[in-house]
């Protein structure tokens, strides 16, 4: 038995779900795992419920650098973060118990809002208008003005986040082995007054991206972190960077990122 033996489950905690998961909890205990009620005491954090639940689990447990995450989906449910499903929970246990655990590392980005608190994102940070009106954003790369955007918003994604909202905004799908930041436009307006690149662009992890929102009248932008809206009423400045922090996940053998992309989209 390895020292990876304290397991925390993150799921919709209602009576019916808890009852349905009891056989899974028992199986984990039979394999020598200790189930803990506080994620801070765990070295393995398991989400149950697909990609959305996995993102919640990572955020709600604080983007733990000293723990390994694993995602479990329901039967025949495709997922880009979850390698395992409820019908084959023993695959996860066997993977964790291996002396040479296969671990996948996903880069994350940091978003600092209004020069205040910094937030981590595994998927993306997006800035959008909440009313039927475009917003204007000055886009700086390493403190140099690159372009002035006018439209519905911008999506700044990680490599794994490139398969989510960014992809729907015509962004590229980026290999997670390339630590990078992708910026994608949402309904940009291009005319004689405003001209943008008109396509997504990808920055090296050492670049600094700054989005400066112009305050033009009754504008009410909203910022979303991994698809969770943040309750800041006045957003003026967002700085996005990437360092060496990663989210470590248990990897099922012969199930690469591109295997999962193929299953999800092709």
């Amino acid at each position: 038995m390895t020292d990876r033996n304290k397991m925390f489950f993150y799921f919709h905690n209602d009576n019916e779900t808890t009852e349905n998961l009891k056989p899974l909890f028992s199986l984990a205990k039979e394999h020598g795992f200790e189930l803990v009620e506080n994620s801070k005491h765990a070295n393995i954090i398991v989400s149950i419920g697909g990609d959305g639940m996995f993102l919640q689990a990572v955020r709600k447990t604080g983007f733990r650098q000293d723990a390994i995450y694993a995602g479990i989906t329901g039967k025949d449910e495709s997922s880009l973060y979850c390698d395992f499903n409820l019908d084959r929970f023993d695959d996860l246990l066997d993977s964790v118990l291996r002396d040479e655990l296969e671990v996948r590392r996903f880069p994350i980005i940091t978003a600092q809002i209004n020069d205040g608190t910094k937030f981590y994102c595994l998927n993306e940070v997006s800035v959008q208008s909440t009313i039927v009106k475009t917003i204007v954003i000055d886009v700086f790369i390493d403190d140099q003005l690159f372009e002035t955007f006018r439209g519905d918003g911008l999506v700044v994604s990680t490599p794994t986040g490139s398969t989510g909202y960014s992809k729907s905004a015509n962004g590229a799908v980026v290999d997670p082995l390339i630590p990078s930041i992708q910026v994608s436009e949402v309904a940009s307006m291009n005319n004689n007054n405003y001209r943008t690149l008109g396509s997504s662009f990808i920055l090296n992890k050492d670049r600094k991206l700054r989005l400066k929102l112009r305050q033009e009248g009754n504008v009410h932008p909203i910022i979303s972190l991994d698809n969770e809206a943040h309750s800041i009423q006045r957003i003026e400045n967002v700085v996005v960077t990437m360092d060496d922090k990663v989210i470590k996940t248990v990897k099922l053998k012969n199930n690469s990122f591109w295997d999962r992309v193929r299953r999800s989209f092709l």
Side-chain angles (χ1 to χ4, degrees):
M1 182 67 179
T2 71
D3 58 356
R4 298 182 295 268
N5 64 342
K6 296 184 185 298
M7 187 173 288
F8 173 80
F9 286 92
Y10 185 93
F11 57 96
H12 285 304
N13 194 4
D14 56 76
N15 291 335
E16 181 180 357
T17 303
T18 302
E19 189 66 27
N20 291 335
L21 293 177
K22 281 185 176 180
L24 182 147
F25 300 154
S26 297
L27 186 60
K29 292 178 181 177
E30 290 173 9
H31 280 73
F33 291 93
E34 176 186 350
L35 306 190
V36 298
E37 297 183 359
N38 189 327
S39 64
K40 294 180 180 179
H41 302 151
N43 43 38
I44 303 170
I45 298 172
V46 181
S47 71
I48 301 175
D51 284 341
M53 191 63 71
F54 184 87
L55 290 170
Q56 278 191 31
V58 172
R59 178 164 300 282
K60 299 300 183 183
T61 59
F63 289 81
R64 290 272 304 278
Q65 298 296 291
D66 57 347
I68 295 175
Y69 290 85
I72 299 177
T73 65
K75 184 178 180 181
D76 298 328
E77 182 181 356
S78 63
S79 172
L80 286 158
Y81 284 114
C82 307
D83 276 41
F84 307 92
N85 62 63
L86 286 174
D87 294 337
R88 296 292 305 273
F89 178 61
D90 52 333
D91 287 343
L92 170 59
L93 299 179
D94 291 341
S95 297
V96 174
L97 289 170
R98 287 198 196 106
D99 289 333
E100 295 183 2
L101 174 67
E102 292 191 64
V103 175
R104 181 185 290 114
R105 291 170 172 81
F106 294 142
I108 58 181
I109 54 178
T110 301
Q112 184 176 23
I113 305 171
N114 295 345
D115 301 320
T117 305
K118 294 182 179 180
F119 300 90
Y120 293 123
C121 297
L122 178 56
N123 241 26
E124 77 275 312
V125 53
S126 65
V127 181
Q128 293 178 282
S129 174
T130 57
I131 59 175
V132 186
K133 183 177 180 180
T134 58
I135 59 176
V136 180
I137 304 174
D138 289 327
V139 179
F140 293 81
I141 300 174
D142 291 340
D143 295 323
Q144 181 175 350
L145 179 63
F146 174 66
E147 66 178 12
T148 297
F149 168 89
R150 183 164 202 145
D152 286 353
L154 290 172
V155 182
V156 183
S157 67
T158 66
T160 48
S162 68
T163 60
Y165 190 9
S166 176
K167 184 176 181 298
S168 69
N170 296 317
V173 176
V174 181
D175 195 315
L177 295 180
I178 306 173
S180 55
I181 302 169
Q182 180 170 196
V183 183
S184 301
E185 302 176 354
V186 180
S188 63
M189 178 183 294
N190 282 285
N191 53 35
N192 290 334
N193 295 319
Y194 294 95
R195 181 65 55 187
T196 65
L197 190 62
S199 68
S200 298
F201 58 91
I202 297 174
L203 302 175
N204 178 274
K205 67 180 289 290
D206 296 323
R207 299 283 191 186
K208 180 177 74 171
L209 175 73
R210 182 163 67 93
L211 308 178
K212 184 178 179 181
L213 280 69
R214 293 191 186 180
Q215 307 300 313
E216 296 186 350
N218 187 27
V219 176
H220 299 281
I222 187 171
I223 189 164
S224 174
L225 310 170
D226 287 342
N227 293 328
E228 292 186 11
H230 199 278
S231 59
I232 292 180
Q233 293 184 349
R234 187 176 179 85
I235 302 167
E236 299 179 356
N237 195 63
V238 182
V239 175
V240 181
T241 55
M242 177 178 284
D243 55 25
D244 294 327
K245 291 184 177 63
V246 295
I247 291 299
K248 297 186 288 291
T249 69
V250 180
K251 180 182 182 298
L252 184 62
K253 191 175 182 180
N254 299 323
N255 188 33
S256 72
F257 171 78
W258 292 104
D259 288 329
R260 300 196 310 282
V261 168
R262 186 183 67 248
R263 287 198 303 272
S264 296
F265 299 112
L266 300 177

